[in-house]
């Protein structure tokens, strides 16, 4: 092993707002000691996982699923027990449903346009 994953970092136009969305979705709190207006971290101190950071990118061109001209760039799979209940909650938080689903997953966009999947069995 060369190293350990410290954080997944997501570019967005409003780090605090997107951190609030993912904090509610994943049950993670903001690590205030590592947060300012341009950089917000969810999770504990380095070495405690999971950690997701959000950094200011005011000119972000969000992905446009499934358009290959603006690909998804990354996505998170979020395991849920009840996909219908989870869908209602993420939509209420500001997510939107995207085209595409399969056996065991549905695709959504977070409030900044990044795709993520609710994964279920």
């Amino acid at each position: 092993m060369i190293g350990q994953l410290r954080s997944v970092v997501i570019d967005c136009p409003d780090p605090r707002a997107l951190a609030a969305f993912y904090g509610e979705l994943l049950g993670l709190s903001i690590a205030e000691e590592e947060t300012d207006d341009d950089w917000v971290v969810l999770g504990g101190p380095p070495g405690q996982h999971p950690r997701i950071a959000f950094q200011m990118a005011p000119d972000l061109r969000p992905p446009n699923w499934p358009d290959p001209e603006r690909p998804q760039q990354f996505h998170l799979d979020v395991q849920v027990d009840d996909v219908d209940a989870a869908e209602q909650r993420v939509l209420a938080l500001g997510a939107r449903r995207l085209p595409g689903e399969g056996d065991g997953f549905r695709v959504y966009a977070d409030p900044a346009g990044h795709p993520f999947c609710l994964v279920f069995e």
Side-chain angles (χ1 to χ4, degrees):
M1 173 175 65
I2 294 173
Q4 293 181 327
L5 177 66
R6 177 182 169 115
S7 301
V8 173
V9 180
I10 301 173
D11 289 351
C12 58
D14 186 344
R16 191 163 290 276
L18 199 58
F21 172 84
Y22 278 104
E24 187 69 25
L25 176 64
L26 301 172
L28 297 172
S29 59
I30 292 176
E32 293 293 343
E33 68 280 358
E34 296 188 53
T35 294
D36 61 36
D37 289 340
D38 294 337
W39 178 264
V40 178
V41 176
L42 291 179
Q48 293 184 3
H49 300 285
R51 284 172 49 98
I52 303 175
F54 304 87
Q55 72 180 1
M56 175 69 73
D59 298 323
L60 177 74
R61 289 188 64 218
N64 189 19
W65 174 272
D67 181 359
E69 292 297 315
R70 288 175 48 197
Q72 65 180 331
Q73 301 163 8
F74 87 99
H75 77 272
L76 300 177
D77 285 343
V78 179
Q79 183 74 42
V80 298
D81 292 326
D82 180 340
V83 71
D84 294 321
E87 177 175 88
Q88 289 178 12
R89 293 185 66 195
V90 298
L91 295 175
L93 288 171
R96 62 186 165 87
R97 184 83 184 267
L98 295 176
E101 65 180 85
D103 291 335
F105 72 93
R106 292 183 190 166
V107 184
Y108 303 84
D110 68 25
H114 303 104
F116 69 94
C117 293
L118 295 180
V119 180
F120 55 95
E121 294 186 31

